[in-house]
Every structure is written in structure tokens, then in C-alpha cells.
Amino acid sequence: MQELTHYLDGGHVKGTSGRFADVMNPATGEVQAQVPLASSAEVDKAVQIAAAAQPAWAATNPQRRARVLMKFVDLLNRDMDKLAEALSREHGKTLPDAAGDVQRGLEVVEYCIGAPQMLKGEFTDSAGPGIDMYSMRQPLGVTAGITPFNFPAMIPMWMFAPAIACGNAFILKPSERDPSVPLMLAELMEEAGLPKGILQVVNGDKEAVDAILHHQVIQSIGFVGSTPIAEYIYATGCANGKRVQCFGGAKNHMIIMPDADMDQAADALVGAGYGAAGERCMAISVAVPVGDETADRLIEKLVPRIEKLKVGPYTAGNDVDYGPVVTAAAKANIERLVQSGVDQGAKLVVDGRDFKLQGYEDGFFVGPHLFDHVTKDMDIYKHEIFGPVLSTVRAQSYEEAIGLAMDHEYGNGTAIFTRDGDAARDFANRINIGMVGINVPIPVPLAYHTFGGWKKSVFGDLNQHGPDAFKFYTRTKTVTARWPSGIKEGGEFSIPVME
Ligand code: NAD
């Protein structure tokens, strides 16, 4: 059995806590590796190494720091297939989707190559007589990130690329479900020229997370994962005086207006609802057709598309639409919620409950499900399912449809499909959700914009990547300078004011 490691001080280090978690191959249901679960002493060791390495890195000029990221992009491209394969093997998503996971992280790394421009600061010449004023953006010191299983390449890169570009050291605590790619990324950063100790990977579970939350030296924590844990990390991290940003769960609605191109809407829903087995925080899990006639036309278009979906292991290459879900527990949770939908009176139009894949009977595959006539009080509507299950809630008007999305506790992403520019514009203006698609089902912003939801999908002020990342990973210091010639007249005793 392969025993995975931590990545500390520029090398792989065996776990010493004696605790391990199984890393599964979700397609076969087999345990393929064991990942060490760090003790608080191991976290402390990583923090000490980071704290010793960080000042020299902060003193390295931003252009040199950016060059490490430039080289890292080359290495990501060189190893793309290897990274995608390792990612699919532990996560279960298809190979093209795994390469997309790496690619969307890589794009944030590319953006962070612009760090010298982003860190330039501000300068006011002659803010007063003989006085100049300037603001600097300085690194925080040792920073940390805790990431989810569903994007084991992209989300770590969203955090460590800006953190490191800004001159911080970064400690990554990846998901214990798929830790291999984060370890590979740390190796590649070092190959790209990053000094030892600036990017370290500490594998673990709650014990490691709690050690991070309570460590005095750690200045900031980024978290992406489920909402209950996001709330816990935000509250505990803030109480311990850290800068914290947490991104949580989602229930993304797509509104289909009567004038929408129904084929386009159905294609979009199939990709956005079932891609990556629905294990995306930007997946569409609720379709809201406006009017019964729209709903009937939509369902008629959706059913044959869903029935044609190819579900299989990543080893089948491009011939698979989506793979297994990540664990047996995730599968059981999805099945429980599907049953609750049936019991609470929703109509199961496509029933994936008996799905079996020959040769992969022990894999965590879940067939596609489509519900119609879902209502607001049902568990399948209230809770994030994180599986290949699409719920249709019929609305009788545009106002009812937008109201549904606005009343839901989550506010990560949403979309409207329509040919009516006025409706689309009104929707984008009024909706209380962070990322909005207009005839685009998964509106994940590109690297130079920022990513973040509203309501219970986020805790904290600043979004991920884009300009916000440079704010999150730096502190502003403002200097007011007057040189000796300015005080030839003697001291000043009253507060200076502008005339
Ligand atoms: P999770 O909350 O179970 O785990 C996330 C991280 O928290 C992992 O590193 C895990 O080890 C750690 N963790 C788990 N339980 C903990 C505990 N009790 N105390 C401290 N740390 C703990 O999430 P997941 O299952 O890995 O990921 C899926 C979730 O992430 C979904 O809810 C999805 O919507 C969300 N997500 C959100 C975004 C976003 O940007 N909003 C992006 C991706 C995923």
C-alpha cells in the first residue's frame, strides 16, 4: 500500500502522528493509498520552517518572484497529462475535466505573474509642503489554506499563487480524499525555483485544521468547502485574530424563460447539472422553468439527453460524460436525499437508482436523476446534494422564479436563459447572488475577475483571485515622509491641517 507524505522544507516527509486516512479509487472502490493525518506538532513544525524562510522571500523583488510562477506554468503544461491522471484516479472525474481543473488553476498562476504591477502601491507627491505620502502592500507572513476535494488542483493554486506572489509563505492543508496532486504541485513549484519552506503541504483532518486555526504565527486562512465547516473556520479564525476568507456550499438555480432557446437551455443544463457528477460548487442543481408550458417543453428536451449520458471510469478517456462520486459516504448521502425527494412527493422523471456498471460494481457510481414538481419545502430543494441530481421547480412567473433564487440561503452562482435583454438585465441587477450567467450556465469568472458567492456561500469580505487576492494576501502600510529641510523653522505643536 502506498504511503503518502507531507511536503515540508522542500521534501517529502513521512507522517509521524501514527494516524492515516484511506485514499480511495472511486471508480473501483479500492483503497489505493494512505495519507498521513498531521498532529498539531507537525503543523507547528511546518509553521516554524515557513516563518524562517519567509523574510528572505519577501525581500526577493516581485519580478523574481513572478519568474518562479512563469516557470511553474511551463512545468504545469509539461506535466498536464500526469497531473490529470493522478487527479482523476483519486477524485473520479473524467480526464478532460481533470485537465480543466489544472488549467483553471494555471490561469490564476498566469494572472499572478502580474504581481509587480499589482503590488506597485500608491504615491502622492507633495501631499503637503515638502511631504510625500506613499502606500505599500506588504506580505502578511505565514499564510494557510484549507481546500476541498472537488478541485484538488485549481483551488490550491487559487490560494497559493497570489499568496506566494505577494511574498508570503503558504501552508496548504488539502482534502484528505485526494492529496496527491497538491503534493505534486509543491514539487513543481520547487522545481520552478521556489525556495524551500515557502510552499508546504500538511496533510490532515480536523486536528491539523484546528492547529492552523489556533497557531499564533499564521496570519491568514483561506478556506473552501462546505458551509458548516466554513462557518466554523471563519468564526474560530477571526476569534484568533486572523484574516479569514471562507467559501461554502451552493444551490445554484437556472431560470428558463418562455422565450429561451430550449435546445440550448437543455444542453446547458445537462452539462452544468451532471458534469463532474454534480460535484461542483457552481453546478446547476435547480432548474426553474417559467410557466407550465415552458416546463413541459424543457422536460421533453432534457429526458433523452439525460438518458444518453455516459457514466464510467476515467480510464475510458473521452468516452465518458461523468465519473463516480468521491466516496461511498457521498454516494449514500445522495441516495438518501433522492429517496427523500420521492417520499416527499417530487416526481422522479429520470430514475438513476438502479444504475450499475459492469466490472465496476464496487465503484461509487450514481446514475443521473431528474426530478420534476419539486417544491420549496422538500429536502432535495433545501440542501446541497452534490451529486448528479437535477431538481425542477416550476414557477408561474418571472417574479416567482427570481424570488425563489433570492430566498434560498445559498448565493454562489445562478443563470437565466432568455432572449429578452430587459429580463436578463433586470435579473443581473436584482439578484442577490455573487456570480450570474446570462445564457451561460456555469458563470465561473476568469482569473482576472474575482470569484465568490453571497449569503451562506461566503464568509469574509474579499473574493478569490483577481485583484481581491492581492488585497487579501497583503497589508497596506502608508508612509508620510518629510525630509529635514522641511523642519528648518522648528517643531510643530498643533495637528497639521490642509489650508
Ligand atoms: P468539506 O467541508 O468536507 O472539507 C473541506 C476541507 O475542510 C477539507 O480540507 C477537510 O479536511 C476540512 N474539514 C472537514 N471537516 C472538518 C472539520 N470538522 N473541522 C475542520 N476541518 C474540516 O468539503 P468537501 O466535501 O471537501 O467539498 C465539497 C464542498 O465544498 C461543497 O459544499 C461545495 O459546494 C464546496 N465548495 C465550495 C466552493 C466555493 O468556492 N464556494 C468551491 C468548491 C467546493
Side-chain angles (χ1 to χ4, degrees):
M1 178 70 56
Q2 189 193 2
E3 184 181 318
L4 298 173
T5 59
H6 307 297
Y7 194 87
L8 303 180
D9 206 11
H12 289 273
V13 174
K14 279 189 154 202
T16 56
S17 70
R19 293 197 308 125
F20 291 89
D22 291 339
V23 179
M24 312 299 293
N25 177 337
T28 61
E30 289 162 351
V31 179
Q32 55 175 322
Q34 296 235 290
V35 61
L37 302 174
S39 62
S40 55
E42 286 168 299
V43 171
D44 181 55
K45 189 173 168 207
V47 176
Q48 302 307 334
I49 294 166
Q54 189 267 335
W57 180 241
T60 303
N61 79 52
Q63 205 164 357
R64 282 184 195 278
R65 295 201 301 255
R67 283 188 191 140
V68 171
L69 295 181
M70 253 185 246
K71 176 80 178 144
F72 180 55
V73 168
D74 285 347
L75 299 178
L76 288 172
N77 281 315
R78 182 195 71 188
D79 287 1
M80 183 64 83
D81 291 347
K82 210 162 101 185
L83 288 160
E85 204 275 336
L87 200 158
S88 293
R89 191 166 5 100
E90 290 182 354
H91 177 285
K93 64 174 76 173
T94 66
L95 283 171
D97 203 28
D101 189 330
V102 179
Q103 176 66 26
R104 288 306 286 259
L106 180 157
E107 289 168 12
V108 170
V109 181
E110 285 176 330
Y111 173 72
C112 292
I113 292 169
Q117 165 71 13
M118 298 304 293
L119 296 172
K120 268 189 337 198
E122 295 169 336
F123 184 84
T124 304
D125 172 41
S126 301
I131 298 175
D132 299 326
M133 196 174 285
Y134 57 96
S135 301
M136 305 184 257
R137 303 209 72 97
Q138 296 198 320
L140 305 176
V142 179
T143 59
I146 298 152
T147 53
F149 81 85
N150 68 328
F151 283 99
M154 178 182 86
I155 293 176
M157 284 192 263
W158 283 10
M159 294 183 186
F160 75 65
I164 288 173
C166 289
N168 299 289
F170 188 87
I171 295 173
L172 172 64
K173 205 303 283 171
S175 170
E176 59 274 45
R177 316 242 177 276
D178 43 17
S180 287
V181 169
L183 289 165
M184 291 164 80
L185 296 176
E187 277 175 22
L188 291 181
M189 279 290 274
E190 206 190 318
E191 190 182 341
L194 188 72
K196 295 181 198 318
I198 297 302
L199 174 60
Q200 299 180 98
V201 180
V202 176
N203 282 306
D205 57 3
K206 182 169 165 52
E207 186 174 339
V209 171
D210 284 340
I212 289 171
L213 284 170
H214 292 282
H215 204 292
Q216 294 292 311
V217 173
I218 293 177
Q219 299 295 307
S220 77
I221 298 176
F223 172 86
V224 179
S226 58
T227 286
I229 313 294
E231 273 184 298
Y232 166 70
I233 288 181
Y234 190 70
T236 316
C238 289
N240 288 333
K242 302 186 192 314
R243 184 178 289 189
V244 192
Q245 59 172 186
C246 295
F247 300 85
K251 194 81 182 174
N252 304 319
H253 295 55
M254 177 168 137
I255 288 157
I256 302 99
M257 297 295 286
D259 65 354
D261 176 329
M262 220 43 78
D263 284 302
Q264 188 195 29
D267 283 340
L269 269 173
V270 169
Y274 302 94
E279 290 177 322
R280 291 179 180 143
C281 67
M282 288 293 278
I284 295 288
S285 47
V286 184
V288 188
V290 173
D292 278 325
E293 203 238 315
T294 312
D296 291 341
R297 281 194 291 139
L298 181 70
I299 298 283
E300 195 186 306
K301 299 272 185 195
L302 275 174
V303 170
R305 284 168 166 84
I306 297 169
E307 284 174 345
K308 262 198 265 162
L309 285 172
K310 286 175 281 179
V311 184
Y314 76 92
T315 41
N318 289 336
D319 204 29
V320 182
D321 293 314
Y322 74 82
V325 297
V326 68
T327 55
K331 178 174 167 160
N333 188 47
I334 295 163
E335 288 170 347
R336 180 184 62 76
L337 279 161
V338 166
Q339 193 54 46
S340 80
V342 174
D343 295 345
Q344 290 168 15
K347 186 173 170 203
L348 191 53
V349 183
V350 178
D351 184 351
R353 284 178 295 180
D354 288 333
F355 181 86
K356 290 267 176 314
L357 194 64
Q358 216 185 355
Y360 292 89
E361 287 79 3
D362 294 330
F364 312 135
F365 291 96
V366 180
H369 296 76
L370 174 66
F371 277 109
D372 194 1
H373 298 285
V374 174
T375 54
K376 275 170 80 165
D377 52 321
M378 293 179 183
D379 287 342
I380 50 169
Y381 180 71
K382 288 191 285 195
H383 303 297
E384 183 179 41
I385 302 176
F386 229 52
V389 183
L390 182 63
S391 297
T392 310
V393 182
R394 294 173 174 234
Q396 294 314 317
S397 67
Y398 166 69
E399 283 304 323
E400 189 188 338
I402 189 172
L404 269 171
M406 289 181 72
D407 288 347
H408 204 284
E409 64 171 347
Y410 292 120
N412 216 36
T414 189
I416 185 167
F417 272 61
T418 182
R419 289 190 175 94
D420 177 351
D422 178 53
R425 199 166 168 273
D426 180 77
F427 184 74
N429 280 333
R430 279 168 59 200
I431 197 78
N432 55 358
I433 290 173
M435 291 170 282
V436 182
I438 296 171
N439 298 316
V440 171
I442 305 193
V444 176
L446 289 177
Y448 42 92
H449 287 263
T450 72
F451 180 107
W454 287 17
K455 299 188 277 182
K456 288 264 182 185
S457 297
V458 75
F459 303 87
D461 307 317
L462 293 167
N463 277 353
Q464 304 201 76
H465 63 68
D468 276 11
F470 285 87
K471 294 194 182 122
F472 184 73
Y473 286 109
T474 55
R475 274 192 189 98
T476 305
K477 185 185 281 174
T478 306
V479 180
T480 305
R482 180 163 63 180
W483 291 98
S485 62
I487 53 169
K488 280 183 190 135
E489 313 297 324
E492 279 173 11
F493 297 97
S494 41
I495 189 165
V497 291
M498 299 305 300
E499 310 213 324

